[in-house]
Amino acid sequence: MDSSSTIANSNSEELVGKWLVSENHKNSFSKDESKLFFGLKPYPILQDTTLLDEEIVKVEVWSYEDERLHTQQKIEKENDLEKSFTTVYHINDQKIVIIGNSEIPETTIGNEGYSNFHLGMNNQPYLKSISWDGFPIKHDVYLINDRSGKSELVAKKINATPRLSPGAKYVYWYDQKDSAWFAFSFNSKIT
């Protein structure tokens, strides 16, 4: 008989005061239904509601040292507020593992969830260089284990957008700067 149960909410021991379950993440099950993928977002900084409207200072502050241009920040503000980090719930073990985080904000689930390895990417250190270098954006690439949550750096500052092979055994990319294809094997750990 099928039944429902709560696996995580704002009162869950590992989430209290740090994480909230995201309503904006596209939840999914692995193909074999042994895992549930959902999103967590950082606990928001709450606004002081005791102030009157006329007491609130409305100022926009920006700097030439910002990662993104001020106009880009305004356009992407809504997306930033909806950002969540991929998390996996292992149904048989009743274990939650956060596989995305602020250091690895982009994740791709491997082999329809069958694989325990997933692709992680971070372009944040290189956002400032978009103004000079253009696209594609450089990335740091990670291999993430969804059993332990541990990540391993695969490649740093690649000038490409990496992808997972269909069976989630390789990460591959085309580097325009080198005019060459690269692949990283999960088993041999060789590029």
Side-chain angles (χ1 to χ4, degrees), residues 50-124:
T50 62
L51 296 174
L52 300 173
D53 276 346
E54 55 270 4
E55 295 177 312
I56 298 172
V57 178
K58 294 179 177 126
V59 177
E60 291 183 0
V61 179
W62 60 275
S63 167
Y64 70 94
E65 293 181 348
D66 289 346
E67 291 175 343
R68 296 179 289 177
L69 295 173
H70 181 66
T71 52
Q72 187 179 5
Q73 289 176 35
K74 286 179 109 172
I75 291 170
E76 295 176 356
K77 182 179 180 180
E78 197 63 38
N79 290 340
D80 291 344
L81 293 172
E82 292 180 358
K83 180 71 179 151
S84 62
F85 301 115
T86 303
T87 305
V88 62
Y89 176 68
H90 295 274
I91 295 169
N92 296 334
D93 302 334
Q94 297 182 346
K95 178 181 175 186
I96 293 175
V97 179
I98 301 171
I99 58 176
N101 57 47
S102 59
E103 299 298 315
I104 308 172
E106 296 176 59
T107 54
T108 302
I109 296 168
N111 194 16
E112 299 178 318
Y114 281 119
S115 177
N116 288 330
F117 295 103
H118 308 284
L119 173 65
M121 295 183 291
N122 184 5
N123 65 11
Q124 291 173 336

Side-chain angles (χ1 to χ4, degrees), residues 97-99 116-118 143-152:
V97 179
I98 301 171
I99 58 176
N116 288 330
F117 295 103
H118 308 284
L143 176 65
I144 305 167
N145 184 319
D146 78 5
R147 293 307 241 161
S148 64
K150 291 184 180 177
S151 60
E152 175 185 341

Side-chain angles (χ1 to χ4, degrees), residues 7-20 38 40 89 94-98:
I7 59 168
N9 63 30
S10 57
N11 297 322
S12 298
E13 183 179 325
E14 58 274 307
L15 306 181
V16 169
K18 295 182 278 187
W19 297 100
L20 293 173
F38 63 99
L40 292 179
Y89 176 68
Q94 297 182 346
K95 178 181 175 186
I96 293 175
V97 179
I98 301 171

Side-chain angles (χ1 to χ4, degrees), residues 26-56:
K26 185 180 176 195
N27 302 332
S28 64
F29 283 95
S30 60
K31 192 85 168 181
D32 65 358
E33 299 179 356
S34 66
K35 302 173 191 175
L36 170 64
F37 296 95
F38 63 99
L40 292 179
K41 62 183 180 180
Y43 207 80
I45 298 170
L46 300 176
Q47 203 171 14
D48 184 357
T49 57
T50 62
L51 296 174
L52 300 173
D53 276 346
E54 55 270 4
E55 295 177 312
I56 298 172

